Amino acid sequence: GAVVSQHPSRVICKSGTSVKIECRSLDFQATTMFWYRQFPKQSLMLMATSNEGSKATYEQGVEKDKFLINHASLTLSTLTVTSAHPEDSSFYICSARGPDLGIQYFGAGTRLSVL
Amino acid sequence: GENVEQHPSTLSVQEGDSAVIKCTYSDSASNYFPWYKQELGKGPQLIIDIRSNVGEKKDQRIAVTLNKTAKHFSLHITETQPEDSAVYFCAAAISGTYKYIFGTGTRLKVLA
């Protein structure tokens, strides 16, 4: 149980385009999901908390207009990187808060490469 | 703000030996401490966790200990195997939220 699916696993796009990443909880409902960014050989940095039916809460320094988050259902949150630039290239990982006392279950991550 | 320090950053052990990774947290009100294993190019996988009302928890070859007074918690892997090679992250839940602060990670290499 507690499976989180993230799609796509890898995306390559041109500078200036927008990219959408999906995060789904497959066997449980998740009122809260999280989006992280991870640079090579570094730790996970929380970007935002996604709450079903309400606006996302962004961490300090994260541009909300750059990283659009939508959590329209109890099983799906999306992260859209708008007008992507090479510096946005990174590994993006989502997690979903499970039904068991708040444990976070992670997706497999999305590697974004902006040319 | 809240902080989690993790040591060592890299650890090499011979197959069959034990590995220990240590973390220190700053928020004395934190009450939940998970450990994740991340393989290359994949998302983190929960391997064990501990809550503040418990001092130790064990699951087969993996154990976690917690010292609330010192704000330390450690991961112990016994009888290591090559497939244990990965990056391990500790985390501490921020009190009053479901958010985590992650440690900087430990790259474990088990030598066959």
PDB file of all heavy atoms in Angstrom, chain A residues 34 36 38 41-44 46 49 59 91 97 101-104 106-108, chain B residues 32 36 38 41-46 49 51 89 98-100 102-104 107:
ATOM      1  N   PHE A  34       3.522  17.160  -1.131  1.00  0.00           N
ATOM      2  CA  PHE A  34       4.675  18.052  -1.039  1.00  0.00           C
ATOM      3  C   PHE A  34       5.471  17.967  -2.334  1.00  0.00           C
ATOM      4  O   PHE A  34       5.570  16.898  -2.941  1.00  0.00           O
ATOM      5  CB  PHE A  34       5.574  17.652   0.137  1.00  0.00           C
ATOM      6  CG  PHE A  34       4.877  17.667   1.468  1.00  0.00           C
ATOM      7  CD1 PHE A  34       4.246  16.530   1.949  1.00  0.00           C
ATOM      8  CD2 PHE A  34       4.858  18.817   2.239  1.00  0.00           C
ATOM      9  CE1 PHE A  34       3.604  16.535   3.172  1.00  0.00           C
ATOM     10  CE2 PHE A  34       4.216  18.834   3.467  1.00  0.00           C
ATOM     11  CZ  PHE A  34       3.583  17.687   3.935  1.00  0.00           C
ATOM     12  N   TYR A  36       9.345  18.710  -3.814  1.00  0.00           N
ATOM     13  CA  TYR A  36      10.738  18.939  -3.465  1.00  0.00           C
ATOM     14  C   TYR A  36      11.563  19.118  -4.737  1.00  0.00           C
ATOM     15  O   TYR A  36      11.208  18.634  -5.807  1.00  0.00           O
ATOM     16  CB  TYR A  36      11.315  17.734  -2.699  1.00  0.00           C
ATOM     17  CG  TYR A  36      10.714  17.470  -1.334  1.00  0.00           C
ATOM     18  CD1 TYR A  36       9.534  16.742  -1.200  1.00  0.00           C
ATOM     19  CD2 TYR A  36      11.347  17.910  -0.179  1.00  0.00           C
ATOM     20  CE1 TYR A  36       8.994  16.472   0.049  1.00  0.00           C
ATOM     21  CE2 TYR A  36      10.817  17.639   1.073  1.00  0.00           C
ATOM     22  CZ  TYR A  36       9.637  16.922   1.172  1.00  0.00           C
ATOM     23  OH  TYR A  36       9.106  16.655   2.408  1.00  0.00           O
ATOM     24  N   GLN A  38      15.709  18.586  -5.902  1.00  0.00           N
ATOM     25  CA  GLN A  38      16.970  18.000  -5.460  1.00  0.00           C
ATOM     26  C   GLN A  38      18.031  18.218  -6.524  1.00  0.00           C
ATOM     27  O   GLN A  38      17.882  17.766  -7.662  1.00  0.00           O
ATOM     28  CB  GLN A  38      16.800  16.506  -5.184  1.00  0.00           C
ATOM     29  CG  GLN A  38      18.020  15.847  -4.575  1.00  0.00           C
ATOM     30  CD  GLN A  38      17.803  14.371  -4.260  1.00  0.00           C
ATOM     31  OE1 GLN A  38      17.099  13.678  -4.970  1.00  0.00           O
ATOM     32  NE2 GLN A  38      18.416  13.895  -3.177  1.00  0.00           N
ATOM     33  N   LYS A  41      23.691  15.235  -5.922  1.00  0.00           N
ATOM     34  CA  LYS A  41      24.444  14.943  -4.697  1.00  0.00           C
ATOM     35  C   LYS A  41      24.068  15.882  -3.553  1.00  0.00           C
ATOM     36  O   LYS A  41      24.886  16.132  -2.660  1.00  0.00           O
ATOM     37  CB  LYS A  41      25.941  14.999  -4.977  1.00  0.00           C
ATOM     38  CG  LYS A  41      26.398  13.958  -5.988  1.00  0.00           C
ATOM     39  CD  LYS A  41      27.907  13.905  -6.105  1.00  0.00           C
ATOM     40  CE  LYS A  41      28.313  12.814  -7.095  1.00  0.00           C
ATOM     41  NZ  LYS A  41      29.789  12.703  -7.217  1.00  0.00           N
ATOM     42  N   GLN A  42      22.861  16.381  -3.563  1.00  0.00           N
ATOM     43  CA  GLN A  42      22.412  17.227  -2.470  1.00  0.00           C
ATOM     44  C   GLN A  42      21.128  16.671  -1.863  1.00  0.00           C
ATOM     45  O   GLN A  42      20.562  15.690  -2.349  1.00  0.00           O
ATOM     46  CB  GLN A  42      22.201  18.667  -2.957  1.00  0.00           C
ATOM     47  CG  GLN A  42      23.485  19.355  -3.366  1.00  0.00           C
ATOM     48  CD  GLN A  42      23.295  20.841  -3.572  1.00  0.00           C
ATOM     49  OE1 GLN A  42      22.358  21.456  -3.060  1.00  0.00           O
ATOM     50  NE2 GLN A  42      24.208  21.438  -4.332  1.00  0.00           N
ATOM     51  N   SER A  43      20.710  17.313  -0.807  1.00  0.00           N
ATOM     52  CA  SER A  43      19.527  16.851  -0.095  1.00  0.00           C
ATOM     53  C   SER A  43      18.249  17.337  -0.778  1.00  0.00           C
ATOM     54  O   SER A  43      18.292  18.041  -1.787  1.00  0.00           O
ATOM     55  CB  SER A  43      19.578  17.338   1.340  1.00  0.00           C
ATOM     56  OG  SER A  43      18.561  16.740   2.117  1.00  0.00           O
ATOM     57  N   LEU A  44      17.129  16.943  -0.214  1.00  0.00           N
ATOM     58  CA  LEU A  44      15.836  17.364  -0.735  1.00  0.00           C
ATOM     59  C   LEU A  44      15.470  18.717  -0.120  1.00  0.00           C
ATOM     60  O   LEU A  44      15.530  18.881   1.105  1.00  0.00           O
ATOM     61  CB  LEU A  44      14.749  16.353  -0.370  1.00  0.00           C
ATOM     62  CG  LEU A  44      14.774  15.014  -1.099  1.00  0.00           C
ATOM     63  CD1 LEU A  44      15.790  14.062  -0.504  1.00  0.00           C
ATOM     64  CD2 LEU A  44      13.391  14.379  -1.088  1.00  0.00           C
ATOM     65  N   LEU A  46      12.413  21.348   0.283  1.00  0.00           N
ATOM     66  CA  LEU A  46      10.975  21.502   0.141  1.00  0.00           C
ATOM     67  C   LEU A  46      10.669  22.796  -0.608  1.00  0.00           C
ATOM     68  O   LEU A  46      11.171  23.863  -0.233  1.00  0.00           O
ATOM     69  CB  LEU A  46      10.301  21.516   1.514  1.00  0.00           C
ATOM     70  CG  LEU A  46       8.793  21.677   1.529  1.00  0.00           C
ATOM     71  CD1 LEU A  46       8.112  20.480   0.862  1.00  0.00           C
ATOM     72  CD2 LEU A  46       8.283  21.846   2.955  1.00  0.00           C
ATOM     73  N   THR A  49       3.969  23.087  -0.174  1.00  0.00           N
ATOM     74  CA  THR A  49       3.000  22.127   0.351  1.00  0.00           C
ATOM     75  C   THR A  49       1.709  22.323  -0.422  1.00  0.00           C
ATOM     76  O   THR A  49       1.194  23.444  -0.520  1.00  0.00           O
ATOM     77  CB  THR A  49       2.756  22.376   1.847  1.00  0.00           C
ATOM     78  OG1 THR A  49       4.001  22.279   2.541  1.00  0.00           O
ATOM     79  CG2 THR A  49       1.781  21.355   2.403  1.00  0.00           C
ATOM     80  N   GLU A  59       7.531  27.647   0.163  1.00  0.00           N
ATOM     81  CA  GLU A  59       8.630  27.938   1.070  1.00  0.00           C
ATOM     82  C   GLU A  59       9.303  29.254   0.653  1.00  0.00           C
ATOM     83  O   GLU A  59       9.176  29.705  -0.497  1.00  0.00           O
ATOM     84  CB  GLU A  59       9.648  26.804   1.069  1.00  0.00           C
ATOM     85  CG  GLU A  59       9.084  25.498   1.597  1.00  0.00           C
ATOM     86  CD  GLU A  59       8.635  25.592   3.041  1.00  0.00           C
ATOM     87  OE1 GLU A  59       9.452  25.951   3.915  1.00  0.00           O
ATOM     88  OE2 GLU A  59       7.443  25.304   3.293  1.00  0.00           O
ATOM     89  N   PHE A  91      16.063  17.695 -10.388  1.00  0.00           N
ATOM     90  CA  PHE A  91      15.262  16.503 -10.090  1.00  0.00           C
ATOM     91  C   PHE A  91      14.137  16.954  -9.173  1.00  0.00           C
ATOM     92  O   PHE A  91      14.393  17.476  -8.085  1.00  0.00           O
ATOM     93  CB  PHE A  91      16.155  15.456  -9.422  1.00  0.00           C
ATOM     94  CG  PHE A  91      15.579  14.071  -9.339  1.00  0.00           C
ATOM     95  CD1 PHE A  91      15.100  13.441 -10.465  1.00  0.00           C
ATOM     96  CD2 PHE A  91      15.544  13.378  -8.135  1.00  0.00           C
ATOM     97  CE1 PHE A  91      14.584  12.145 -10.401  1.00  0.00           C
ATOM     98  CE2 PHE A  91      15.035  12.083  -8.053  1.00  0.00           C
ATOM     99  CZ  PHE A  91      14.552  11.468  -9.185  1.00  0.00           C
ATOM    100  N   ARG A  97       1.174  12.738   1.822  1.00  0.00           N
ATOM    101  CA  ARG A  97       1.005  12.382   3.234  1.00  0.00           C
ATOM    102  C   ARG A  97       0.007  11.242   3.331  1.00  0.00           C
ATOM    103  O   ARG A  97      -1.151  11.375   2.933  1.00  0.00           O
ATOM    104  CB  ARG A  97       0.524  13.584   4.039  1.00  0.00           C
ATOM    105  CG  ARG A  97       0.333  13.272   5.519  1.00  0.00           C
ATOM    106  CD  ARG A  97       0.091  14.545   6.304  1.00  0.00           C
ATOM    107  NE  ARG A  97      -1.184  15.164   6.014  1.00  0.00           N
ATOM    108  CZ  ARG A  97      -2.315  14.889   6.652  1.00  0.00           C
ATOM    109  NH1 ARG A  97      -2.330  13.969   7.593  1.00  0.00           N
ATOM    110  NH2 ARG A  97      -3.432  15.528   6.351  1.00  0.00           N
ATOM    111  N   LEU A 101      -0.647   8.438  10.228  1.00  0.00           N
ATOM    112  CA  LEU A 101       0.045   9.376  11.118  1.00  0.00           C
ATOM    113  C   LEU A 101       1.015  10.298  10.386  1.00  0.00           C
ATOM    114  O   LEU A 101       2.055  10.665  10.926  1.00  0.00           O
ATOM    115  CB  LEU A 101       0.792   8.606  12.221  1.00  0.00           C
ATOM    116  CG  LEU A 101      -0.094   7.731  13.112  1.00  0.00           C
ATOM    117  CD1 LEU A 101       0.757   6.987  14.134  1.00  0.00           C
ATOM    118  CD2 LEU A 101      -1.138   8.576  13.828  1.00  0.00           C
ATOM    119  N   GLY A 102       0.673  10.656   9.172  1.00  0.00           N
ATOM    120  CA  GLY A 102       1.434  11.695   8.514  1.00  0.00           C
ATOM    121  C   GLY A 102       2.700  11.281   7.814  1.00  0.00           C
ATOM    122  O   GLY A 102       3.481  12.147   7.406  1.00  0.00           O
ATOM    123  N   ILE A 103       2.938   9.994   7.651  1.00  0.00           N
ATOM    124  CA  ILE A 103       4.143   9.552   6.953  1.00  0.00           C
ATOM    125  C   ILE A 103       4.077   9.994   5.497  1.00  0.00           C
ATOM    126  O   ILE A 103       3.045   9.886   4.852  1.00  0.00           O
ATOM    127  CB  ILE A 103       4.278   8.024   7.041  1.00  0.00           C
ATOM    128  CG1 ILE A 103       4.490   7.608   8.499  1.00  0.00           C
ATOM    129  CG2 ILE A 103       5.409   7.521   6.171  1.00  0.00           C
ATOM    130  CD1 ILE A 103       4.479   6.112   8.721  1.00  0.00           C
ATOM    131  N   GLN A 104       5.207  10.480   5.001  1.00  0.00           N
ATOM    132  CA  GLN A 104       5.283  10.896   3.610  1.00  0.00           C
ATOM    133  C   GLN A 104       5.800   9.751   2.741  1.00  0.00           C
ATOM    134  O   GLN A 104       6.832   9.148   3.056  1.00  0.00           O
ATOM    135  CB  GLN A 104       6.221  12.101   3.450  1.00  0.00           C
ATOM    136  CG  GLN A 104       5.661  13.386   4.015  1.00  0.00           C
ATOM    137  CD  GLN A 104       6.543  14.588   3.705  1.00  0.00           C
ATOM    138  OE1 GLN A 104       7.188  14.637   2.654  1.00  0.00           O
ATOM    139  NE2 GLN A 104       6.566  15.553   4.610  1.00  0.00           N
ATOM    140  N   PHE A 106       7.008   8.856  -1.161  1.00  0.00           N
ATOM    141  CA  PHE A 106       7.569   9.607  -2.267  1.00  0.00           C
ATOM    142  C   PHE A 106       7.332   8.959  -3.620  1.00  0.00           C
ATOM    143  O   PHE A 106       7.287   7.730  -3.747  1.00  0.00           O
ATOM    144  CB  PHE A 106       9.084   9.789  -2.067  1.00  0.00           C
ATOM    145  CG  PHE A 106       9.421  10.827  -1.038  1.00  0.00           C
ATOM    146  CD1 PHE A 106       9.404  10.527   0.312  1.00  0.00           C
ATOM    147  CD2 PHE A 106       9.748  12.119  -1.426  1.00  0.00           C
ATOM    148  CE1 PHE A 106       9.705  11.494   1.270  1.00  0.00           C
ATOM    149  CE2 PHE A 106      10.055  13.088  -0.479  1.00  0.00           C
ATOM    150  CZ  PHE A 106      10.029  12.771   0.862  1.00  0.00           C
ATOM    151  N   GLY A 107       7.208   9.838  -4.635  1.00  0.00           N
ATOM    152  CA  GLY A 107       7.214   9.379  -6.005  1.00  0.00           C
ATOM    153  C   GLY A 107       8.640   9.097  -6.450  1.00  0.00           C
ATOM    154  O   GLY A 107       9.597   9.321  -5.700  1.00  0.00           O
ATOM    155  N   ALA A 108       8.764   8.627  -7.681  1.00  0.00           N
ATOM    156  CA  ALA A 108      10.072   8.235  -8.202  1.00  0.00           C
ATOM    157  C   ALA A 108      10.882   9.408  -8.732  1.00  0.00           C
ATOM    158  O   ALA A 108      12.053   9.240  -9.077  1.00  0.00           O
ATOM    159  CB  ALA A 108       9.903   7.186  -9.295  1.00  0.00           C
TER     160      ALA A 108
ATOM    161  N   TYR B  32       8.837  13.087  15.301  1.00  0.00           N
ATOM    162  CA  TYR B  32       8.815  11.998  14.329  1.00  0.00           C
ATOM    163  C   TYR B  32      10.061  12.074  13.466  1.00  0.00           C
ATOM    164  O   TYR B  32      10.408  13.152  12.955  1.00  0.00           O
ATOM    165  CB  TYR B  32       7.555  12.091  13.455  1.00  0.00           C
ATOM    166  CG  TYR B  32       7.504  11.047  12.382  1.00  0.00           C
ATOM    167  CD1 TYR B  32       7.384   9.687  12.701  1.00  0.00           C
ATOM    168  CD2 TYR B  32       7.593  11.387  11.043  1.00  0.00           C
ATOM    169  CE1 TYR B  32       7.355   8.724  11.716  1.00  0.00           C
ATOM    170  CE2 TYR B  32       7.553  10.418  10.044  1.00  0.00           C
ATOM    171  CZ  TYR B  32       7.436   9.102  10.392  1.00  0.00           C
ATOM    172  OH  TYR B  32       7.409   8.142   9.416  1.00  0.00           O
ATOM    173  N   TYR B  36      15.135   7.513   5.091  1.00  0.00           N
ATOM    174  CA  TYR B  36      14.836   7.150   3.713  1.00  0.00           C
ATOM    175  C   TYR B  36      16.101   6.664   3.015  1.00  0.00           C
ATOM    176  O   TYR B  36      17.203   7.162   3.274  1.00  0.00           O
ATOM    177  CB  TYR B  36      14.269   8.353   2.951  1.00  0.00           C
ATOM    178  CG  TYR B  36      12.862   8.720   3.339  1.00  0.00           C
ATOM    179  CD1 TYR B  36      12.615   9.585   4.398  1.00  0.00           C
ATOM    180  CD2 TYR B  36      11.774   8.203   2.650  1.00  0.00           C
ATOM    181  CE1 TYR B  36      11.324   9.923   4.760  1.00  0.00           C
ATOM    182  CE2 TYR B  36      10.471   8.537   2.993  1.00  0.00           C
ATOM    183  CZ  TYR B  36      10.261   9.401   4.049  1.00  0.00           C
ATOM    184  OH  TYR B  36       8.972   9.734   4.403  1.00  0.00           O
ATOM    185  N   GLN B  38      17.670   6.281  -0.804  1.00  0.00           N
ATOM    186  CA  GLN B  38      17.471   6.746  -2.173  1.00  0.00           C
ATOM    187  C   GLN B  38      18.523   6.134  -3.083  1.00  0.00           C
ATOM    188  O   GLN B  38      19.720   6.358  -2.907  1.00  0.00           O
ATOM    189  CB  GLN B  38      17.528   8.273  -2.260  1.00  0.00           C
ATOM    190  CG  GLN B  38      17.182   8.808  -3.644  1.00  0.00           C
ATOM    191  CD  GLN B  38      17.200  10.323  -3.723  1.00  0.00           C
ATOM    192  OE1 GLN B  38      17.925  10.993  -3.002  1.00  0.00           O
ATOM    193  NE2 GLN B  38      16.393  10.876  -4.625  1.00  0.00           N
ATOM    194  N   GLY B  41      18.822   8.061  -9.174  1.00  0.00           N
ATOM    195  CA  GLY B  41      17.769   8.360 -10.132  1.00  0.00           C
ATOM    196  C   GLY B  41      16.373   7.992  -9.686  1.00  0.00           C
ATOM    197  O   GLY B  41      15.441   8.031 -10.474  1.00  0.00           O
ATOM    198  N   LYS B  42      16.212   7.652  -8.402  1.00  0.00           N
ATOM    199  CA  LYS B  42      14.909   7.249  -7.897  1.00  0.00           C
ATOM    200  C   LYS B  42      14.479   8.135  -6.733  1.00  0.00           C
ATOM    201  O   LYS B  42      15.270   8.909  -6.196  1.00  0.00           O
ATOM    202  CB  LYS B  42      14.944   5.787  -7.456  1.00  0.00           C
ATOM    203  CG  LYS B  42      15.245   4.811  -8.587  1.00  0.00           C
ATOM    204  CD  LYS B  42      15.179   3.384  -8.091  1.00  0.00           C
ATOM    205  CE  LYS B  42      15.454   2.399  -9.231  1.00  0.00           C
ATOM    206  NZ  LYS B  42      15.392   0.979  -8.758  1.00  0.00           N
ATOM    207  N   GLY B  43      13.224   7.993  -6.351  1.00  0.00           N
ATOM    208  CA  GLY B  43      12.725   8.727  -5.205  1.00  0.00           C
ATOM    209  C   GLY B  43      13.097   8.033  -3.904  1.00  0.00           C
ATOM    210  O   GLY B  43      13.435   6.854  -3.881  1.00  0.00           O
ATOM    211  N   PRO B  44      13.053   8.762  -2.807  1.00  0.00           N
ATOM    212  CA  PRO B  44      13.387   8.167  -1.505  1.00  0.00           C
ATOM    213  C   PRO B  44      12.345   7.131  -1.078  1.00  0.00           C
ATOM    214  O   PRO B  44      11.152   7.320  -1.300  1.00  0.00           O
ATOM    215  CB  PRO B  44      13.367   9.374  -0.559  1.00  0.00           C
ATOM    216  CG  PRO B  44      13.456  10.572  -1.436  1.00  0.00           C
ATOM    217  CD  PRO B  44      12.790  10.198  -2.706  1.00  0.00           C
ATOM    218  N   GLN B  45      12.828   6.067  -0.448  1.00  0.00           N
ATOM    219  CA  GLN B  45      11.962   5.026   0.070  1.00  0.00           C
ATOM    220  C   GLN B  45      12.108   4.964   1.583  1.00  0.00           C
ATOM    221  O   GLN B  45      13.225   4.864   2.098  1.00  0.00           O
ATOM    222  CB  GLN B  45      12.316   3.680  -0.543  1.00  0.00           C
ATOM    223  CG  GLN B  45      12.075   3.607  -2.042  1.00  0.00           C
ATOM    224  CD  GLN B  45      10.616   3.731  -2.396  1.00  0.00           C
ATOM    225  OE1 GLN B  45       9.763   3.042  -1.869  1.00  0.00           O
ATOM    226  NE2 GLN B  45      10.294   4.642  -3.321  1.00  0.00           N
ATOM    227  N   LEU B  46      10.993   4.996   2.284  1.00  0.00           N
ATOM    228  CA  LEU B  46      11.012   4.901   3.738  1.00  0.00           C
ATOM    229  C   LEU B  46      11.506   3.515   4.156  1.00  0.00           C
ATOM    230  O   LEU B  46      10.993   2.500   3.684  1.00  0.00           O
ATOM    231  CB  LEU B  46       9.608   5.138   4.297  1.00  0.00           C
ATOM    232  CG  LEU B  46       9.455   5.058   5.807  1.00  0.00           C
ATOM    233  CD1 LEU B  46      10.142   6.237   6.483  1.00  0.00           C
ATOM    234  CD2 LEU B  46       7.984   5.011   6.201  1.00  0.00           C
ATOM    235  N   ASP B  49      11.285   4.243  10.776  1.00  0.00           N
ATOM    236  CA  ASP B  49      11.003   5.533  11.412  1.00  0.00           C
ATOM    237  C   ASP B  49      10.866   5.319  12.912  1.00  0.00           C
ATOM    238  O   ASP B  49      10.747   4.185  13.392  1.00  0.00           O
ATOM    239  CB  ASP B  49       9.739   6.170  10.838  1.00  0.00           C
ATOM    240  CG  ASP B  49       8.504   5.269  10.956  1.00  0.00           C
ATOM    241  OD1 ASP B  49       8.586   4.176  11.571  1.00  0.00           O
ATOM    242  OD2 ASP B  49       7.454   5.645  10.401  1.00  0.00           O
ATOM    243  N   ARG B  51       9.205   7.372  16.585  1.00  0.00           N
ATOM    244  CA  ARG B  51       8.499   8.509  17.187  1.00  0.00           C
ATOM    245  C   ARG B  51       9.114   8.799  18.544  1.00  0.00           C
ATOM    246  O   ARG B  51       9.794   7.945  19.135  1.00  0.00           O
ATOM    247  CB  ARG B  51       7.004   8.208  17.285  1.00  0.00           C
ATOM    248  CG  ARG B  51       6.395   8.007  15.914  1.00  0.00           C
ATOM    249  CD  ARG B  51       4.896   7.990  15.869  1.00  0.00           C
ATOM    250  NE  ARG B  51       4.458   7.734  14.492  1.00  0.00           N
ATOM    251  CZ  ARG B  51       4.258   8.684  13.587  1.00  0.00           C
ATOM    252  NH1 ARG B  51       4.429   9.948  13.914  1.00  0.00           N
ATOM    253  NH2 ARG B  51       3.877   8.375  12.366  1.00  0.00           N
ATOM    254  N   PHE B  89      18.982   9.273   3.882  1.00  0.00           N
ATOM    255  CA  PHE B  89      18.623  10.575   4.440  1.00  0.00           C
ATOM    256  C   PHE B  89      17.857  10.388   5.742  1.00  0.00           C
ATOM    257  O   PHE B  89      16.901   9.599   5.798  1.00  0.00           O
ATOM    258  CB  PHE B  89      17.732  11.366   3.480  1.00  0.00           C
ATOM    259  CG  PHE B  89      18.428  11.846   2.244  1.00  0.00           C
ATOM    260  CD1 PHE B  89      18.332  11.146   1.058  1.00  0.00           C
ATOM    261  CD2 PHE B  89      19.177  13.021   2.265  1.00  0.00           C
ATOM    262  CE1 PHE B  89      18.965  11.594  -0.089  1.00  0.00           C
ATOM    263  CE2 PHE B  89      19.818  13.479   1.125  1.00  0.00           C
ATOM    264  CZ  PHE B  89      19.716  12.762  -0.063  1.00  0.00           C
ATOM    265  N   TYR B  98       3.217  18.789   9.047  1.00  0.00           N
ATOM    266  CA  TYR B  98       3.576  17.497   8.468  1.00  0.00           C
ATOM    267  C   TYR B  98       4.836  17.616   7.619  1.00  0.00           C
ATOM    268  O   TYR B  98       5.210  16.682   6.922  1.00  0.00           O
ATOM    269  CB  TYR B  98       2.420  16.948   7.634  1.00  0.00           C
ATOM    270  CG  TYR B  98       1.226  16.559   8.470  1.00  0.00           C
ATOM    271  CD1 TYR B  98       0.053  17.306   8.440  1.00  0.00           C
ATOM    272  CD2 TYR B  98       1.270  15.431   9.289  1.00  0.00           C
ATOM    273  CE1 TYR B  98      -1.049  16.945   9.204  1.00  0.00           C
ATOM    274  CE2 TYR B  98       0.182  15.061  10.060  1.00  0.00           C
ATOM    275  CZ  TYR B  98      -0.973  15.827  10.014  1.00  0.00           C
ATOM    276  OH  TYR B  98      -2.052  15.473  10.771  1.00  0.00           O
ATOM    277  N   LYS B  99       5.484  18.774   7.675  1.00  0.00           N
ATOM    278  CA  LYS B  99       6.678  18.986   6.864  1.00  0.00           C
ATOM    279  C   LYS B  99       7.898  18.351   7.519  1.00  0.00           C
ATOM    280  O   LYS B  99       7.973  18.230   8.746  1.00  0.00           O
ATOM    281  CB  LYS B  99       6.915  20.488   6.676  1.00  0.00           C
ATOM    282  CG  LYS B  99       5.777  21.180   5.934  1.00  0.00           C
ATOM    283  CD  LYS B  99       6.162  22.568   5.450  1.00  0.00           C
ATOM    284  CE  LYS B  99       6.397  23.528   6.562  1.00  0.00           C
ATOM    285  NZ  LYS B  99       6.624  24.907   6.034  1.00  0.00           N
ATOM    286  N   TYR B 100       8.851  17.975   6.680  1.00  0.00           N
ATOM    287  CA  TYR B 100      10.103  17.400   7.149  1.00  0.00           C
ATOM    288  C   TYR B 100      11.260  18.342   6.839  1.00  0.00           C
ATOM    289  O   TYR B 100      11.271  19.030   5.823  1.00  0.00           O
ATOM    290  CB  TYR B 100      10.429  16.082   6.448  1.00  0.00           C
ATOM    291  CG  TYR B 100       9.478  14.923   6.653  1.00  0.00           C
ATOM    292  CD1 TYR B 100       9.577  13.799   5.845  1.00  0.00           C
ATOM    293  CD2 TYR B 100       8.499  14.926   7.629  1.00  0.00           C
ATOM    294  CE1 TYR B 100       8.726  12.717   6.005  1.00  0.00           C
ATOM    295  CE2 TYR B 100       7.642  13.848   7.800  1.00  0.00           C
ATOM    296  CZ  TYR B 100       7.763  12.745   6.973  1.00  0.00           C
ATOM    297  OH  TYR B 100       6.922  11.672   7.123  1.00  0.00           O
ATOM    298  N   PHE B 102      15.171  17.623   6.054  1.00  0.00           N
ATOM    299  CA  PHE B 102      16.033  16.496   5.740  1.00  0.00           C
ATOM    300  C   PHE B 102      17.486  16.781   6.108  1.00  0.00           C
ATOM    301  O   PHE B 102      17.954  17.931   6.050  1.00  0.00           O
ATOM    302  CB  PHE B 102      15.968  16.174   4.240  1.00  0.00           C
ATOM    303  CG  PHE B 102      14.763  15.370   3.861  1.00  0.00           C
ATOM    304  CD1 PHE B 102      13.564  15.993   3.563  1.00  0.00           C
ATOM    305  CD2 PHE B 102      14.818  13.988   3.806  1.00  0.00           C
ATOM    306  CE1 PHE B 102      12.432  15.258   3.221  1.00  0.00           C
ATOM    307  CE2 PHE B 102      13.702  13.241   3.474  1.00  0.00           C
ATOM    308  CZ  PHE B 102      12.514  13.886   3.184  1.00  0.00           C
ATOM    309  N   GLY B 103      18.183  15.735   6.469  1.00  0.00           N
ATOM    310  CA  GLY B 103      19.623  15.823   6.630  1.00  0.00           C
ATOM    311  C   GLY B 103      20.286  15.899   5.261  1.00  0.00           C
ATOM    312  O   GLY B 103      19.622  15.800   4.225  1.00  0.00           O
ATOM    313  N   THR B 104      21.587  16.043   5.261  1.00  0.00           N
ATOM    314  CA  THR B 104      22.330  16.256   4.017  1.00  0.00           C
ATOM    315  C   THR B 104      22.647  14.963   3.275  1.00  0.00           C
ATOM    316  O   THR B 104      23.164  15.015   2.171  1.00  0.00           O
ATOM    317  CB  THR B 104      23.629  17.014   4.296  1.00  0.00           C
ATOM    318  OG1 THR B 104      24.301  16.392   5.394  1.00  0.00           O
ATOM    319  CG2 THR B 104      23.344  18.471   4.651  1.00  0.00           C
ATOM    320  N   ARG B 107      26.206   8.842   1.720  1.00  0.00           N
ATOM    321  CA  ARG B 107      26.390   7.889   0.621  1.00  0.00           C
ATOM    322  C   ARG B 107      27.083   6.656   1.184  1.00  0.00           C
ATOM    323  O   ARG B 107      28.266   6.715   1.555  1.00  0.00           O
ATOM    324  CB  ARG B 107      27.212   8.541  -0.485  1.00  0.00           C
ATOM    325  CG  ARG B 107      27.333   7.694  -1.752  1.00  0.00           C
ATOM    326  CD  ARG B 107      27.977   8.495  -2.869  1.00  0.00           C
ATOM    327  NE  ARG B 107      27.207   9.697  -3.179  1.00  0.00           N
ATOM    328  CZ  ARG B 107      26.166   9.743  -3.998  1.00  0.00           C
ATOM    329  NH1 ARG B 107      25.778   8.652  -4.619  1.00  0.00           N
ATOM    330  NH2 ARG B 107      25.537  10.883  -4.227  1.00  0.00           N
TER     331      ARG B 107
END
